[in-house]
Amino acid sequence: HQLGQWQKLPTYLPVDEDKKQDSTANYIVWNEVYKTKNGFEMHFMSHGGADRTNWLPGRATSKDGIHWKRKPSVNMSKLTLDGKPFPSSFWRRIYCKDKKEKNPKRRFKGLVGKYASIDSVEQRVWGSVYSDDEVNWHSATEAEFVVVGDISVNEHIFEDPEDKDPSRRFKMVA
């Protein structure tokens, strides 16, 4: 399979090219890009400034995947879990949209990190959460925790279209 011709861009990702990036604080250092019906959406953290957190608050959109326009950053203080402020500082977009879910309140499914003592050792555990709007999350009480270990990027939870067992449609890498 041939991917085509690659072209090297400037050392920083060109977001809002009409505005000169006057500080390395604006440079994007970690990002995740998603295909949308109108092009692409990027979630990112920057080298410094308000968007320098590991939960990727920065937002940008693009029609072609090369030229990007910044959008307002996500304010994590608006995220809730079971009606209370979201408790995890480990949050990234570790969730996905379940297009086959019949219950619209569970349209988005994800994981939330927290620490727990297991056999007298403090470990990071991940519990299941769901949401209808990607802002207000609810704990899935079916399981106390899903996995122990480190999960850091959205690709660690994905839908497996080839698995015929509906209870195993979603997989994770830990």
Side-chain angles (χ1 to χ4, degrees):
H1 180 76
Q2 184 175 355
L3 294 175
Q5 182 104 12
W6 289 85
Q7 177 185 359
K8 183 176 167 92
L9 293 174
T11 55
Y12 62 87
L13 190 64
V15 177
D16 289 340
E17 285 185 294
D18 54 323
K19 299 175 187 170
K20 294 288 182 197
Q21 294 201 12
D22 56 0
S23 165
T24 58
N26 291 325
Y27 291 3
I28 293 171
V29 295
W30 183 282
N31 69 63
E32 297 171 355
V33 176
Y34 307 92
K35 180 79 174 111
T36 66
K37 64 182 177 183
N38 297 323
F40 301 92
E41 180 177 343
M42 179 187 352
H43 298 191
F44 63 90
M45 72 179 270
S46 61
H47 187 267
D51 289 335
R52 181 169 169 73
T53 73
N54 72 347
W55 56 273
L56 308 178
R59 296 294 184 265
T61 57
S62 172
K63 292 182 180 178
D64 61 8
I66 296 173
H67 302 92
W68 294 87
K69 177 99 174 124
R70 280 188 195 258
K71 299 293 180 190
S73 298
V74 171
N75 182 348
M76 189 175 173
S77 68
K78 293 184 179 185
L79 297 178
T80 66
L81 178 62
D82 300 322
K84 298 176 183 164
F86 206 86
S88 176
S89 62
F90 303 115
W91 183 255
R92 281 201 179 137
R93 186 184 166 117
I94 304 176
Y95 66 91
C96 56
K97 185 174 184 178
D98 183 357
K99 297 173 186 163
K100 296 179 183 175
E101 175 61 62
K102 292 181 173 77
N103 181 350
K105 293 195 180 293
R106 289 183 173 241
R107 180 72 58 217
F108 298 94
K109 295 176 169 75
L111 302 172
V112 63
K114 60 183 177 179
Y115 284 101
S117 179
I118 301 172
D119 298 327
S120 300
V121 176
E122 186 176 70
Q123 299 184 37
R124 190 180 314 173
V125 297
W126 295 85
S128 296
V129 292
Y130 62 89
S131 174
D132 62 345
D133 63 3
E134 301 178 85
V135 174
N136 299 296
W137 292 88
H138 307 279
S139 296
T141 56
E142 297 87 340
E144 183 179 350
F145 63 87
V146 178
V147 66
V148 176
D150 193 22
I151 301 172
S152 59
V153 294
N154 70 310
E155 290 87 359
H156 286 170
I157 182 169
F158 60 94
E159 185 175 5
D160 181 357
E162 296 179 13
D163 197 326
K164 304 284 189 249
D165 183 345
S167 69
R168 297 186 332 193
R169 255 183 328 130
F170 291 93
K171 310 280 195 289
M172 69 182 84
V173 178

